[in-house]
Each structure stands twice: as C-alpha cells, then as structure tokens.
C-alpha cells in the first residue's frame, strides 16, 4: 500500500467517525466532559487524543478569544478532518499530529488537559498521565472521560453480544476494548500514582436519541474497527446482528423515536 492510499483510508475513516459517531454518541459525551471541567474564559486547554475535535471545539467556545486551545491526535486522518471543520466562535485551535506520550508543549504551560474517551486505548497509561502532569501548570487540572462498564451501556452491550454471536469474538473484541478502563478505582489509582491530588470522580448518564436502529447500526459499525469483520460476514449474519440489536433495544422506543442511556465515568484531578 502506498503512503497516499494509507493517508486516504485514514482520512475516510476519520470522516465516517465525524459524520456518524460524533453527532450520535461521541459529541454529546465530549460536551459532558467539557461541562464537567468548568472551563473559564481565558484558560489554556489541551485536548489529548482529540479525534476530530468534538471536545476541543466546544472548549474553544467556552474559553473564548482570550483563551488557547490545542488538539493533538496520533491519527493523521483525525487531525486532517479536525482542521477542515469550520472555525468556532471562540479561541483559535492549534492542531498537531502527535502522540499522547510526547506532548509538543513545554512544562507547566496549560491550565486544563482534557482526555475524552482516549486513555483506555493507550498501552502505557502511566506515561500518558505523566506527560499530562508535566504540561499542566501547578494548580491546573486534568479531566478524563471513560465509558462505565459495558453492562451499564445497553447499546454497546447488546451490539457486542450480537457481533460475537453472529460475526465472531475477534470482531466484537474491538468494541469491548473501549471498556478496558471502566473501573473507577483503577482510574483513581492511576491519577494518584501520576502525582495528581484532589481527585473527584462522578458518573454521568447521557440520554441519547439515536436515528432508527435498522439504519444506524450498520452505519455505526462502518465507522468502527468492526467494519472489516462485519463486511466479511455473510449477509444473513449481518442482518441477524441488525435485527437482534433493534429488537433488544426496542424497550427504549417511544413515540417513533429511541432514546438510550449511555453512562460515562468522569474523573477530575489537580496538579
Ligand atoms: C475514541 S477516539 C476519541 C476521540 C475524541 N476524543 C472524541 O471524544 O471524539 C480515541 C482517539 O485516541 C487517539 N489515540 C490513540 N492512541 C493515541 C496516542 N498514543 N496518542 C494520541 N492519540 C491517540 C485515536 O487516534 C483516536 O482519535
């Protein structure tokens, strides 16, 4: 594969992420994280693992023109899409294709570090947290969101079961991986070990209205790492997943719409 084809694939995947996952699920979840971080006008904010920038763009509105917002992500496609989105009415956002393990910032320069649904994917979580600690000013805060247990997130739980049953456990594993840091005590211990103090944790339940599931479920899968395994499965297996998820989530339907609870753990701590 040539580099330009790889780049194109990364860009297309990021566009699907932005068009499908962000409006329905990740966008509202990012806003909940930013709301909980209680940003003030003029603050400097770093969004680590920004994806296409849902949290960073909302943060830029809140800190305003006197603030500073920086988004970093390892994925070139995510950063390209983030850069392409309309500027917000607020701080200018600086985007960098960089790793959470090597933040492109000097020591003690940032007021708030955000991490929206990213820390669970990082193998070396202590290193990622020590980098956040390094760039925060004394008294600055780190604010992290992670999904609560999969059993508390019926959309993901039912989808993972259906994928595992009809497509395969390997394909379901990439969905289950988003819950690999759902234990609040584990998150607290990581923050303590990194030197953070005044640790606060809370659980936020989002009530998200999703599009009709028969359309949304295959679109959702197409924007995730499950796409390859799902596309390789027989049509009958794909249909079985969609039918099963729609049927099992029908209890959340009312008046022609469907509103499903999604639960996130939020952690906030001070350097
Ligand atoms: C589930 S997405 C969340 C994106 C965004 N924060 C949101 O809420 O929409 C996880 C992000 O972490 C990024 N990521 C994974 N490993 C990373 C690393 N080592 N350094 C920086 N970003 C990383 C991925 O590229 C991806 O954009």
């Amino acid at each position: 594969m040539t580099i330009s084809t790889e780049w194109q694939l990364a860009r297309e995947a990021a566009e699907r992420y932005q068009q499908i996952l962000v409006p329905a699920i990740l966008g509202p979840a990012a806003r909940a994280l930013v709301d909980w971080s209680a940003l003030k006008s003029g603050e400097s904010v770093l969004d680590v693992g920004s994806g296409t920038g849902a949290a960073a763009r909302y943060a830029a509105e809140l800190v305003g023109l006197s603030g500073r917002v920086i988004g970093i992500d390892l994925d070139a496609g995510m950063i390209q899409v983030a850069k392409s989105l309309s500027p917000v009415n607020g701080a200018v956002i600086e985007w960098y294709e960089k790793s959470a393990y090597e933040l492109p910032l000097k020591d003690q320069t940032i007021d708030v570090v955000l991490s929206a649904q990213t820390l669970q994917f990082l193998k070396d979580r202590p290193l990622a947290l020590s980098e956040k600690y390094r760039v925060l000013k004394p008294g600055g805060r780190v604010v992290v969101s992670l999904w609560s247990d999969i059993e508390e997130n019926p959309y993901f739980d039912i989808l993972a079961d259906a994928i595992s049953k009809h497509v395969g456990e390997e394909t379901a594993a990439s969905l289950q991986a988003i819950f690999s840091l759902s234990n609040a005590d584990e998150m607290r211990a990581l923050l303590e070990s990194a030197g953070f103090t005044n640790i606060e944790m809370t659980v936020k339940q989002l009530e998200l209205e999703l599009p009709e599931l028969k359309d949304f479920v295959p679109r959702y899968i197409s924007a995730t790492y499950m796409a390859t395994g799902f596309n390789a499965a027989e049509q009958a297996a794909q249909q079985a997943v969609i039918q099963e998820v729609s049927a099992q989530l029908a209890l959340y339907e009312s008046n022609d719409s469907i509103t499903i609870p999604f639960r996130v753990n939020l952690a906030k701590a001070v350097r």
Side-chain angles (χ1 to χ4, degrees), residues 21-38:
L21 270 52
V22 171
I25 301 174
L26 272 308
R31 288 181 82 89
L33 170 78
V34 174
D35 282 336
W36 203 58
S37 60

Side-chain angles (χ1 to χ4, degrees), residues 17 22 26 30 47 49-51 54 72-75 78 98-101 116-118 121-122:
Y17 182 92
V22 171
L26 272 308
D47 181 9
S50 63
I72 73 117
D73 199 286
L74 197 56
D75 185 284
M78 291 290 196
K98 289 285 180 195
S99 169
Y101 300 137
Q117 301 298 345
T118 295
F121 301 106
L122 303 184

Side-chain angles (χ1 to χ4, degrees), residues 98-148:
K98 289 285 180 195
S99 169
Y101 300 137
E102 210 174 341
L103 297 174
L105 289 159
K106 296 204 171 108
D107 297 358
Q108 304 189 7
T109 44
I110 295 293
D111 293 308
V112 181
V113 173
L114 303 174
S115 171
Q117 301 298 345
T118 295
L119 200 57
Q120 68 267 56
F121 301 106
L122 303 184
K123 285 205 176 71
D124 195 341
R125 294 163 184 164
L127 176 57
L129 285 169
S130 74
E131 270 295 89
K132 292 174 175 64
Y133 189 95
R134 178 184 68 74
V135 301
L136 276 171
K137 295 175 187 170
R141 54 208 192 275
V142 63
V143 195
V144 179
S145 66
L146 297 154
W147 295 114
S148 305

